[in-house]
Structures are given as C-alpha cells and as structure tokens.
C-alpha cells in the first residue's frame, strides 16, 4: 500500500490547474464550432442533392425536405447535448480541484532510473497508474536510488501531476 496524505495547493499549482482548464475549454469549443460548421454544410448539401433526385418509380416516397430538416435539427441537438454534457463532466474534476484547493501526496517507489542522452534529461520510472515516469533534476537523479520512495504530488480530484520531492 502506498503512503499518502493531503496538503493545500499553492497558488502556482492552482494557476496551473486553471490554465489547464482554460486551454482545454478553448480547444474544445474550437473543435465543437468546426464540427458544427462542417455538419451544417453537409446537411445543406445532402438536403439539396436529395431534393433534386427524382423517384425511380411510384412506390418510392418523394424526399420530404421539412422532415429532413427536422431530423437533422434533432440529430444536431442530440450531438451538441452529448458534447456539452461530456465537457461539463470532464471539466468538473478540474473545477473541484480549484474549489477544494487540496493536493494528494503519494509516496511511490522508484522502479528504475534512466538518463535520455538525446535530449539530456533524467527520469524516474514509477509503477503508478497514469504516471509511468517523471522527469527529474540531475541532482535528484544522483541523490535517489532505485527502490527508494519519491513523494509525488497530484491534484486531489483530477489526479493531475503537479510535481515531486
């Protein structure tokens, strides 16, 4: 069992969580707007092409533009509702972190140490879900040994990595 405890977040950590929430929101709404524009263009093009098509025989029902517009509007409302629900659900954990202002500190054993010569960085490999390795300073790389415990800080609700000591 890994040892853990809670502490209040620093202002810098709260700003980091807030920046993550803002960046996620900006990207999300840009994507949602793009999907809306592409979807609207597709609905109009398909509607126009289908309304111009003639039935091959009397048994085929003629295309109904009002029914098509109604079905398309219902589909868009459903898709946008699901997307907004997903956004709120995803953002809730970050908002809870900002509201609560607490972080979780977990002692995790170092599985392996690794120096990456391509970019001159030092890493500790950990056996923790969602966090397989962390980049550390050269001093810490030399001070800690494999098997020792490193204290890793996470935001309490979102489990966002905040740092180590």
């Amino acid at each position: 069992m890994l040892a853990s405890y809670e502490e209040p977040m620093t202002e810098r950590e709260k700003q980091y969580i807030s920046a993550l929430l803002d960046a996620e929101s900006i990207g999300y709404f840009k994507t949602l707007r793009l999907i809306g524009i592409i979807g609207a263009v597709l609905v109009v093009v398909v509607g126009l092409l289908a309304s111009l098509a003639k039935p091959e025989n009397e048994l085929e029902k003629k295309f109904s533009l009002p029914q098509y517009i109604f079905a398309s509007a219902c589909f868009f409302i459903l898709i946008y509702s699901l997307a907004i629900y997903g956004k709120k659900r995803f953002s809730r954990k970050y908002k809870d972190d900002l509201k609560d202002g607490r972080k979780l500190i977990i002692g995790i054993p170092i599985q392996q140490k690794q120096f990456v010569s391509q970019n001159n960085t030092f890493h500790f490999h950990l056996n923790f879900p969602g966090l397989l390795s962390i980049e550390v300073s050269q001093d810490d790389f030399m001070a800690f040994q494999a098997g020792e415990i490193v204290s890793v800080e996470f935001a309490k609700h979102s489990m966002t990595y905040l740092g180590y000591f």
Side-chain angles (χ1 to χ4, degrees), residues 19 33 49 58 75 88 105 108 115 122 126 138:
R33 186 173 37 244
L49 291 176
E58 296 172 8
F75 178 74
K88 287 185 179 284
I105 294 138
I108 304 172
F115 171 69
F122 301 89
L126 310 171
Q138 183 176 2

Side-chain angles (χ1 to χ4, degrees), residues 61-154:
K61 185 178 176 189
K62 189 171 187 301
F63 175 77
S64 171
L65 190 59
Q67 287 178 348
Y68 175 75
I69 291 172
F70 178 74
S72 297
C74 290
F75 178 74
F76 270 110
I77 289 170
L78 175 68
I79 293 299
Y80 273 103
S81 297
L82 289 173
I84 289 169
Y85 171 76
K87 158 78 169 99
K88 287 185 179 284
R89 185 177 168 115
F90 181 79
S91 298
R92 183 177 4 150
K93 56 188 173 184
Y94 293 111
K95 289 179 181 177
D96 289 346
D97 282 333
L98 292 172
K99 182 180 175 184
D100 190 31
R102 309 274 304 160
K103 63 184 172 184
L104 189 63
I105 294 138
I106 302 175
I108 304 172
I110 300 168
Q111 298 291 317
Q112 177 185 351
K113 296 170 38 171
Q114 180 182 17
F115 171 69
V116 180
S117 58
Q118 288 87 352
N119 56 3
N120 201 29
T121 57
F122 301 89
H123 299 266
F124 289 158
H125 291 272
L126 310 171
N127 188 14
F128 190 78
L131 186 69
L132 300 177
S133 71
I134 57 174
E135 185 175 337
V136 297
S137 68
Q138 183 176 2
D139 294 337
D140 290 336
F141 185 80
M142 297 301 179
F144 286 92
Q145 299 303 316
E148 290 184 344
I149 303 291
V150 63
S151 295
V152 181
E153 301 171 323
F154 296 97

Side-chain angles (χ1 to χ4, degrees), residues 28-66:
Y28 180 81
F29 286 115
K30 281 183 179 179
T31 303
L32 197 58
R33 186 173 37 244
L34 180 65
I35 289 171
I37 291 168
I38 291 171
V41 168
L42 284 174
V43 165
V44 169
V45 168
V46 168
L48 287 175
L49 291 176
S51 66
L52 295 175
K54 303 283 187 220
E56 288 185 17
N57 57 45
E58 296 172 8
L59 297 176
E60 285 186 14
K61 185 178 176 189
K62 189 171 187 301
F63 175 77
S64 171
L65 190 59

